[in-house]
Amino acid sequence: VIASQHALSTSSLPSIVNSALRDDPTVYVRLRSGNLDECFGLLLSRQADVAIVYHVPDEPDEISEDFLETLDIGQDRLIPVSDVVVAALITMAGAEVEMPIVTYPADVFLGKVMADKIIPVLPSNLIANSRAETALTFAALEMAAGGVAVAWVPASVAQPHLDAGRVVDLSAHLPSCPLVIRAVRLASKPGPAETVLWRQLMQLAKTWA
């Protein structure tokens, strides 16, 4: 059983699971998506064998316990995106201008990242105005594509929309934030399926490092 944040469940996780299944065709995977706290809750209550989550580099670990084992298996980036109309407003702004944004709830992981790493370092001439709030990165991305506002989403989630020209990357004008993809498990005797998956995750960690 893998617990994963929603954005990872549909971006990076499928290729990880596919690799594990190729290693051993007898492995059966159950995926459970949730926010960061829910993923750790499933892991600590032994309702999940492995959690795959985002972590901000140089920030304290979300859970710092001796009985947890972690692997950093990849990287991503929280980037600002919008449609071309809103992008023109941002990139051409000289004087002070109001910038519509999509926000995340303050109690979810990306809401905390926005509050700590993005909002405080916005250009001084751009006044952020929250036009919508959602806990789902895909909803934020669709609102950006629809011209509602600027949204900060993981680059892996935004890539298909970027490739199709539905949104543009505003990282050259607005702050972004690096993200580490981290696998976490309890440091106890693993089952056969968990052993296969963790072996694949260790290979990913070596490749990324």
Side-chain angles (χ1 to χ4, degrees), residues 25-59:
T26 67
V27 171
Y28 171 80
V29 173
R30 179 183 299 149
L31 176 62
R32 301 186 65 176
S33 296
N35 61 37
L36 184 66
D37 290 341
E38 290 170 336
C39 290
F40 279 121
L42 290 168
L43 183 68
L44 295 174
S45 63
R46 298 184 183 275
Q47 297 179 70
D49 301 296
V50 176
I52 297 180
V53 297
Y54 281 126
H55 175 74
V56 177
D58 302 323
E59 287 289 298

Side-chain angles (χ1 to χ4, degrees), residues 79-83 86-88 90-91 150 168-175:
I79 62 170
V81 297
S82 74
D83 76 336
V86 175
I90 303 306
T91 57
V150 178
V168 294
D169 183 354
L170 294 171
S171 295
H173 306 277
L174 299 173

Side-chain angles (χ1 to χ4, degrees), residues 2 5-6 11 14 33-34 39 69 75 95 103 109 112 115 131-132 139 160 168 173-174 178 188 196:
I2 302 174
Q5 284 171 277
H6 296 295
S11 55
S33 296
C39 290
E69 185 176 356
Q75 60 185 332
T103 56
F109 173 74
K112 296 172 185 175
R131 297 295 301 276
V168 294
H173 306 277
L174 299 173
S188 58
V196 172

Side-chain angles (χ1 to χ4, degrees), residues 98-134:
E98 184 178 283
M99 177 178 64
I101 66 171
V102 180
T103 56
Y104 297 100
D107 60 344
V108 304
F109 173 74
L110 289 182
K112 296 172 185 175
V113 175
M114 288 282 294
D116 294 342
K117 304 293 185 180
I118 301 299
I119 300 300
V121 292
L122 286 172
S124 58
N125 67 309
L126 297 177
I127 309 303
N129 176 27
S130 178
R131 297 295 301 276
E133 179 183 283
T134 178

Side-chain angles (χ1 to χ4, degrees), residues 158-183:
Q159 196 59 55
H161 279 48
L162 290 168
D163 293 342
R166 295 194 63 205
V167 296
V168 294
D169 183 354
L170 294 171
S171 295
H173 306 277
L174 299 173
S176 59
C177 178
L179 299 171
V180 171
I181 302 171
R182 174 167 289 180

